[in-house]
Amino acid sequence: MIRLLAFLIVVFALGLGFAWLADRPGDMVVTFSGYQYQVSLMVAAVAVVAVVAAVMIFWWLIKSLWNSPYTISRYFRVRRRDRGYQALSTGMIAAGAGDGALARKKTKEAAKLIRSDQEPLIHLLEAQASLLEGDHEGARQKFESMLDDPEMRLLGLRGLYLEAERLGDRNAARHYAGRAAVMAPQLAWAAESTLEELTARGDWDGALKLVDAQKSTRQIERDAANRRRAVLLTAKAQALAGSDPTAARTAAIEANRLRPDFAPAAVAAAAALFKQNDVRKGSKILETAWRAEPHPEIAELYTHARPGDAVLDRLNRAKKLQEMKKNHAESSMTVARAALDALDFSTARREAEAAIRMDRREGAYLLLADIEEADTGDQGKVRQLLSRAVRAPRDPAWVADGVVSERWVPVSPVTGRLDAFEWRAPMQRLGQLIDSHDDAAAAPVAVIEALAKPVSERPVEVIDDAGGEISAGKEAEAREEDHVRPITAAAFAEVPTNAEAVEPAEEHARLPDDPGVDPDEEAEKSPRRFRLF
């Protein structure tokens, strides 16, 4: 488009020039070798333009002839390259589709048409073809050869990393990922694997630097980076709690600043502050975390913030937590535990029962059983509460990859993933699936029928071939003899503890009321027999 505009502008300028000369007539006289040539100004201008055009055309012809060998060779070279890229494209599509034979064929064709040092994708296609053919050793050698090329080095490290993961060699995989992370921190796979390696060996400072690099390259969002930093700083604080309390306090406070609702960070920060007798600041941190989400570790540390407090002081602190988060099961259980320690059984029982109404779970029943045993000592009620605890949903715990931990840890022991543990209820037990409504109103207990005496002692009525029945009187008498008292939980509780065990009676098979007609006898009587199948 620009060339067309330039051509039109030149033509327009020439037209204006010739029009200007036509409006101003004149002559041009040229004297050469004693001869004098006189022409009009318009003719002279046309002649000059024609001479210039002829010179330009002549120069173009000479240049074209001079460059014709190079032009022809370039034409065939471009055509060859286009064919090579077409083969390369077809091979990549075949590799993606899982067609190893076609991918290998197109790899050889592309290698003939394009030099491998000019197009690195040929190496990738060759490695992919080897993987599709099952030649993992050849693919590994191809990936290793890529390490010598700066342009292909990251691709080679990626391939070697995947091969190490396939073989289950975690050390080799992390080695390749670490080299890639040094060269390009923005690579997610390299950064994640390196982060797992650093956290596995407890290098929390190195892991923090890597998270900062991920954040600076915008590989992860700001909230995710703050979450990871909080987890790493909490782990660092736990590791330094015994050796360097000052550094542990600094790390825990920074983790709590990044995520105030993260319970392990709040507990670590408050514990470090309590050790340095800063009860006010530590309590404030725990109160903030408690308002966000009540947690038993927060309640335990908060109620025992001052070791010298009496049980009534701890009960008052537990009630203070309950005021911050009302109508929550964890608040009621916290008060119930403190009240049990203070021997305030009425308050403990009331709060434990309130916790069961809000969140029916195993720990609430166990706590209520402890209260009942300490208050009344009624073993029947204690056993009843314990049986309900067995069938109730389990209490929340730190769960990661099927592993249940009593305390929070930064990485999963199964996969090594950072921040894998979650505070939630573990997988339910089978007993909860069978009976999960133990708190409902007592349903009528089913009557258990038992044999009053062995069947062999009872006369058996003979049934004729026509299918006769037992008389109604005898049948009612048999039912009365078989009927026994229902077995209930109350009757079971009345059994004395020193009663002797009774061996179960021999079980006899009970004959049906109407055994029907013997098939063999029926077949002999029937002259015709029909079979459906």
Side-chain angles (χ1 to χ4, degrees):
M1 186 67 183
I2 297 177
R3 292 183 179 181
L4 179 60
L5 291 176
F7 176 76
L8 293 177
I9 290 173
V10 170
V11 172
F12 183 71
L14 290 175
L16 289 178
F18 282 114
W20 184 77
L21 290 176
D23 293 339
R24 291 167 178 79
D27 297 330
M28 185 179 69
V29 178
V30 178
T31 302
F32 181 75
S33 299
Y35 294 94
Q36 188 176 17
Y37 303 93
Q38 183 177 359
V39 294
S40 63
L41 188 58
M42 179 62 70
V43 175
V46 172
V48 170
V49 172
V51 170
V52 171
V55 170
M56 293 177 64
I57 293 173
F58 179 75
W59 174 253
W60 177 78
L61 290 174
I62 296 298
K63 184 179 179 180
S64 298
L65 291 174
W66 181 264
N67 294 330
S68 59
Y70 172 75
T71 304
I72 295 173
S73 63
R74 185 180 64 178
Y75 168 76
F76 287 105
R77 186 170 61 250
V78 170
R79 182 183 178 187
R80 181 185 181 90
R81 184 188 63 185
D82 293 342
R83 290 172 54 198
Y85 277 111
Q86 181 63 35
L88 183 61
S89 176
T90 305
M92 294 298 293
I93 295 174
D99 191 350
L102 181 58
R104 175 63 65 185
K105 177 181 177 182
K106 293 301 178 180
T107 300
K108 295 179 180 179
E109 183 178 346
K112 293 179 181 178
L113 298 174
I114 308 175
R115 293 174 54 184
S116 59
D117 56 346
Q118 294 179 351
E119 184 48 66
L121 285 178
I122 295 179
H123 298 289
L124 175 60
L125 181 56
E126 186 174 358
Q128 292 294 327
S130 300
L131 290 175
L132 291 174
E133 294 172 350
D135 186 10
H136 294 278
E137 182 64 24
R140 188 180 62 83
Q141 294 178 0
K142 178 58 64 176
F143 287 131
E144 289 179 350
S145 65
M146 295 180 187
L147 301 180
D148 299 331
D149 187 0
E151 188 178 3
M152 300 287 294
R153 187 168 296 143
L154 291 176
L155 179 58
L157 291 173
R158 170 68 171 173
L160 293 173
Y161 168 79
L162 293 178
E163 283 298 300
E165 287 283 343
R166 183 185 62 83
L167 296 175
D169 192 349
R170 298 289 299 171
N171 294 329
R174 290 175 176 175
H175 169 72
Y176 295 128
R179 292 181 58 183
V182 172
M183 298 174 57
Q186 71 276 5
L187 296 177
W189 63 271
E192 293 298 326
S193 180
T194 306
L195 186 63
E196 291 181 4
E197 179 186 6
L198 293 174
T199 54
R201 64 170 185 254
D203 188 1
W204 309 116
D205 292 330
L208 287 169
K209 292 180 180 178
L210 182 58
V211 171
D212 292 338
Q214 289 180 308
K215 182 180 178 181
S216 61
T217 56
R218 299 184 182 275
Q219 181 181 340
I220 56 177
E221 298 296 332
R222 181 179 179 181
D223 293 341
N226 291 339
R227 171 75 182 193
R228 287 190 174 183
R229 283 187 57 84
V231 171
L232 294 172
L233 288 169
T234 305
K236 180 181 178 181
Q238 291 180 351
L240 298 176
S243 59
D244 192 350
T246 303
R249 172 184 174 178
T250 303
I253 291 176
E254 185 180 356
N256 180 255
R257 180 183 59 83
L258 291 173
R259 293 301 298 266
D261 58 341
F262 187 43
V267 170
L273 290 170
F274 289 162
K275 287 183 179 180
Q276 299 180 359
N277 297 324
D278 194 350
V279 179
R280 184 185 62 82
K281 188 174 181 179
S283 299
K284 186 177 180 180
I285 290 175
L286 292 178
E287 290 172 0
T288 303
W290 181 267
R291 291 190 185 96
E293 183 62 32
H295 196 278
E297 295 181 8
I298 297 176
E300 179 68 18
L301 186 60
Y302 186 82
T303 54
H304 294 81
R306 291 187 292 265
D309 284 352
V311 290
L312 292 178
D313 295 333
R314 293 200 294 267
L315 178 58
N316 292 331
R317 292 179 67 84
K319 290 181 178 179
K320 185 179 179 180
L321 282 180
Q322 188 181 30
E323 291 295 326
M324 298 177 188
K325 198 72 174 180
K326 296 181 179 180
N327 299 325
H328 197 281
E330 200 61 50
S331 299
S332 298
M333 291 185 66
T334 301
V335 176
R337 294 190 189 98
L340 177 60
D341 294 339
L343 302 182
D344 187 356
F345 299 118
S346 60
T347 302
R349 182 179 287 103
R350 182 178 67 253
E351 295 297 336
E353 291 174 352
I356 291 176
R357 288 193 298 269
M358 287 183 286
D359 186 6
R360 178 178 159 273
R361 62 189 188 187
E362 180 182 16
Y365 284 111
L366 294 177
L367 179 59
L368 190 57
D370 292 338
I371 297 170
E372 192 66 36
E373 184 175 12
D375 186 16
T376 64
D378 190 345
Q379 296 300 320
K381 290 184 178 180
V382 171
R383 286 196 297 268
Q384 183 183 16
L385 291 172
L386 292 179
S387 65
R388 292 182 179 182
V390 171
R391 292 188 293 271
R394 301 179 65 180
D395 291 307
W398 293 109
V399 183
D401 300 323
V403 177
V404 181
S405 176
E406 295 182 357
R407 56 186 297 270
W408 177 84
V409 289
V411 296
S412 170
V414 179
T415 61
R417 181 166 54 93
L418 180 67
D419 193 19
F421 278 91
E422 299 177 355
W423 182 254
R424 59 180 178 84
M427 184 178 296
Q428 301 296 329
R429 293 179 295 240
L430 182 60
Q432 299 155 9
L433 300 178
I434 297 175
D435 184 8
S436 60
H437 301 284
D438 192 65
D439 286 344
V445 182
V447 177
I448 302 177
E449 299 290 342
L451 296 175
K453 56 182 179 178
V455 180
S456 58
E457 299 178 1
R458 187 182 307 161
V460 180
E461 295 291 336
V462 179
I463 304 173
D464 58 2
D465 297 340
E469 299 179 353
I470 302 177
S471 62
K474 293 183 178 181
E475 191 173 13
E477 181 181 357
R479 284 199 300 267
E480 291 179 359
E481 291 178 357
D482 290 345
H483 186 273
V484 296
R485 179 185 176 187
I487 299 177
T488 61
F492 181 79
E494 294 175 0
V495 178
T497 57
N498 57 354
E500 296 182 358
V502 180
E503 295 294 331
E506 182 180 359
E507 183 177 358
H508 297 274
R510 185 172 181 176
L511 296 177
D513 295 336
D514 185 7
V517 182
D518 189 2
D520 297 331
E521 297 178 1
E522 180 70 15
E524 293 176 359
K525 291 182 178 181
S526 176
R528 299 180 61 186
R529 300 178 61 184
F530 295 89
R531 296 186 60 185
L532 297 178
F533 301 98

